Amino acid sequence: QVQLVESGGGLVQPGGSLRLSCAASGNIYSINVMGWYRQAPGKERELVANIRSGGSTYYADSVKGRFTISRDNAKNTVYLQMNSLKPEDTAVYYCADYVRITPKDPYLELWGQGTLVTVSS
């Protein structure tokens, strides 16, 4: 069974930093896009950042220059380094990967369980 396990959320003061991790476990052949989404109370889920297998990245305008996404293909893990955090960054953060179990399978979209990030003084 393939699953994504997130870690690294918590409470941080404005201006502080946090690093989120999301590890994919199970029988995995390859992972294409790895990404982070977030959902704040009363708002829709939004894409924060993603990174393709070739290394190209995308960032939402609201986090450009503050967040950095990276991946370790050997560990099937994606990271989100969040600096200069603001109260408006408060949300549940979810990772999502496009995973292929065998070379013949299509890519499946998998989601983590979510980790809460609270930015408050």
Side-chain angles (χ1 to χ4, degrees), residues 62-68 81-86 89:
S62 58
V63 306
K64 281 181 181 177
R66 300 188 298 122
F67 291 10
T68 302
Q81 177 66 43
M82 304 184 295
N83 299 329
S84 302
L85 282 161
K86 305 175 181 180
D89 294 317

Side-chain angles (χ1 to χ4, degrees), residues 41-72:
K43 295 187 177 181
E44 293 187 354
R45 189 174 297 187
E46 63 174 350
L47 174 62
V48 176
N50 64 27
I51 182 168
R52 295 188 174 277
S53 56
S56 61
T57 58
Y58 163 85
Y59 294 95
D61 288 342
S62 58
V63 306
K64 281 181 181 177
R66 300 188 298 122
F67 291 10
T68 302
I69 190 170
S70 61
R71 61 190 285 172
D72 184 333

